[in-house]
């Protein structure tokens, strides 16, 4: 049976980008057609400056939102990375498989290291080695497919390279996984800066970020104030009109249809924004409702995570043990 693995970092409140780029497919498609594991990757949240209490709170909130988005513990495995030791055990072996140069080439590393330096902060070593842990997350489970947004494509290529290299050097141990991306909204852009990704919390300004738990009125305001492009004609052109293209992508993802065709239906930015706002509010409505119900009973979420970690451990352990032996460790 096909195995699927994916994850989300608890570095901030989850966004519409997380939902349209990743979580929605996990719930609507992936969990129904494969043995799927979805992980709150809390160890990854420690690669940048963090507040322990906040990471703890956001981890629980991310897990609750995954369930609110429709992940069903009867169909898939939902768990927290730090509760399964195998990720860290295998991560070190991945560091011994990867080279310093290929880690430094990662766009995410370069961007985040530059941001950190601009703030006058220090760059944690774990920010550089992050992709080794991410590869371990995936390879420990023998995942065939990894449903992610487009921003993760380079990390997935590296994961594939590491799997192939390990298998060639030490004997076939890992499945070589592949990334899958959604047909539309694989990269949702910031509403105030449509040339950069809608990220959780990296930006100081949050008015261009729609959070999954934003009140409908807040969502509406953010969409209505979205930066559009000069000119007034509604056309789908990601290069020349990134603001409008982003709104059309979001509309297509939330209400259905094809972004280029949808463009033909509008003759003003205002009308387009009104429909986008309504479509996003409707898309998030059931998720917000379910989140409120689940948040009222944290012991349920904790129990789901406990069981998820138990299952994940059982799946990962034999493959990680095999990797230890393959490398020459007595294990
Ligand atoms: P992260 O928030 O970086 O942990 O991402 C969790 C998942 O959401 C990954 O699969 C990302 O590729 C996806 N994702 C994050 N931001 C966006 C975005 N703005 N557009 C599309 N997908 C995204
Ligand atoms: N690096 C991913 C991100 O920033 C999160 C992640 C960590 C992940 N491990 C993973 C995604 C394994 C998919 C599979 O979004």
């Amino acid at each position: 049976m096909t195995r699927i693995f994916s994850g989300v970092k608890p570095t901030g409140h989850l966004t519409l980008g997380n939902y349209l780029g990743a979580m929605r497919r996990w719930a609507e498609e992936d969990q129904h057609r494969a043995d799927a594991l979805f992980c709150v990757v809390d160890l990854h949240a420690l690669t940048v400056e963090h507040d322990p209490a906040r990471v703890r709170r956001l981890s629980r909130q991310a897990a609750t939102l995954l369930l609110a988005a429709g992940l069903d513990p009867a169909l898939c495995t939902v768990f927290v990375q730090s509760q399964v030791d195998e990720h860290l055990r295998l991560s070190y072996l991945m560091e011994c498989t990867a080279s310093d140069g290929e880690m430094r080439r990662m766009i995410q590393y370069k961007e985040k290291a530059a941001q950190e330096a601009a703030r006058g902060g220090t760059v944690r070593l774990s920010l550089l080695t992050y992709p080794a842990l991410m590869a371990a997350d995936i390879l420990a489970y023998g995942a065939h497919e990894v449903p992610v947004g487009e921003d993760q494509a380079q990390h997935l290529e590296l994961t594939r390279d590491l799997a192939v290299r390990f298998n060639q050097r030490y004997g076939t141990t890992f499945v070589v996984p592949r990334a899958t991306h959604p047909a539309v909204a694989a990269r949702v852009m910031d509403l105030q800066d449509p040339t950069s990704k809608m990220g959780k919390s990296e930006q100081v300004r949050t008015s261009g970020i729609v959070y999954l738990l934003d009140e409908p009125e807040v969502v509406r305001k953010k969409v209505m104030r979205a930066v559009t492009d000069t000119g007034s004609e509604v056309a789908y052109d990601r290069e020349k009109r990134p603001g409008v293209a982003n709104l059309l992508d979001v509309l297509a993802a939330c209400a259905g249809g094809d972004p280029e065709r949808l463009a033909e239906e509008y003759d003003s930015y205002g009308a387009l924004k009104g429909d986008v706002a309504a479509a996003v509010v409707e898309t998030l409505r059931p998720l917000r409702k379910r989140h409120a119900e689940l948040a009222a009973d944290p012991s349920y979420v904790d129990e789901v995570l406990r069981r998820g970690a138990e299952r994940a451990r059982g799946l990962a352990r034999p493959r990680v043990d095999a990797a230890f032996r393959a490398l020459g460790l007595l294990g």
Side-chain angles (χ1 to χ4, degrees), residues 37-68:
L37 296 108
F38 301 106
C39 186
V40 176
V41 288
D42 55 347
L43 296 166
H44 286 274
L46 311 188
T47 55
V48 289
E49 209 178 307
H50 74 283
D51 168 39
R54 184 163 188 264
V55 168
R56 198 173 298 126
R57 205 171 53 241
L58 289 172
S59 295
R60 196 169 267 125
Q61 190 195 66
T64 309
L65 277 168
L66 291 181
L67 300 177

Side-chain angles (χ1 to χ4, degrees), residues 4-8 18-39 62-78 147-148 180 182 212 283 286-287 290 294:
I4 290 182
F5 183 96
S6 200
V8 61
N18 293 129
Y19 185 66
L20 298 180
M23 292 158 63
R24 185 166 71 169
R25 274 193 314 149
W26 304 349
E28 289 179 359
E29 298 168 30
D30 298 328
Q31 69 173 348
H32 298 287
R33 67 181 179 87
D35 177 11
L37 296 108
F38 301 106
C39 186
T64 309
L65 277 168
L66 291 181
L67 300 177
L71 292 188
D72 177 351
L75 298 174
C76 68
T77 303
V78 180
V148 281
T180 64
L212 297 182
T283 300
L287 195 149
R290 182 96 180 103
L294 288 163

Side-chain angles (χ1 to χ4, degrees), residues 41 71 104 109 114 117 168 205 284 324 330:
V41 288
L71 292 188
R104 284 183 201 280
Y109 169 69
Q168 278 171 354
R205 192 189 45 208
L284 298 185
F324 267 59
L330 297 182

Side-chain angles (χ1 to χ4, degrees), residues 158-330:
L158 178 59
T159 301
R160 289 168 60 86
D161 289 347
L162 296 180
V164 168
R165 190 176 308 153
F166 191 103
N167 287 347
Q168 278 171 354
R169 277 191 196 155
Y170 309 112
T172 302
T173 310
F174 297 119
V175 172
V176 181
R178 68 182 185 90
T180 64
H181 305 293
V184 277
R187 182 183 289 269
V188 178
M189 308 308 270
D190 188 292
L191 298 176
Q192 289 297 318
D193 174 9
T195 56
S196 59
K197 179 185 90 165
M198 184 184 283
K200 286 196 208 81
S201 57
E202 293 92 17
Q203 289 86 347
V204 191
R205 192 189 45 208
T206 58
S207 53
I209 306 171
V210 175
Y211 293 104
L212 297 182
L213 295 178
D214 276 347
E215 300 283 341
E217 225 7 77
V218 174
V219 173
R220 237 172 249 128
K221 268 196 199 125
K222 286 178 175 174
V223 174
M224 295 313 286
R225 287 186 194 151
V227 166
T228 37
D229 315 289
T230 49
S232 59
E233 188 203 348
V234 178
Y236 187 77
D237 186 335
R238 282 205 137 216
E239 293 277 303
K240 295 206 189 92
R241 292 169 181 243
V244 172
N246 190 39
L247 291 173
L248 288 164
D249 278 341
V250 169
L251 181 61
C254 291
D258 169 77
E260 284 185 48
R261 289 253 173 74
L262 286 170
E264 294 164 12
E265 293 174 19
Y266 292 93
D267 47 23
S268 83
Y269 290 166
L272 171 63
K273 284 180 180 177
D275 283 2
V276 173
V280 173
V281 167
E282 281 320 303
T283 300
L284 298 185
R285 191 186 300 284
L287 195 149
R288 281 169 46 83
K289 180 164 175 281
R290 182 96 180 103
H291 179 268
E293 290 161 10
L294 288 163
D297 183 8
S299 63
Y300 169 74
V301 177
D302 284 347
E303 180 57 17
V304 168
L305 295 177
R306 197 192 58 74
R307 285 214 205 127
E310 203 171 279
R311 171 155 197 269
R313 250 178 248 126
L315 292 176
R317 180 95 202 185
R319 189 172 273 99
V320 177
D321 281 350
F324 267 59
R325 287 192 298 272
L327 269 172
L329 299 170
L330 297 182

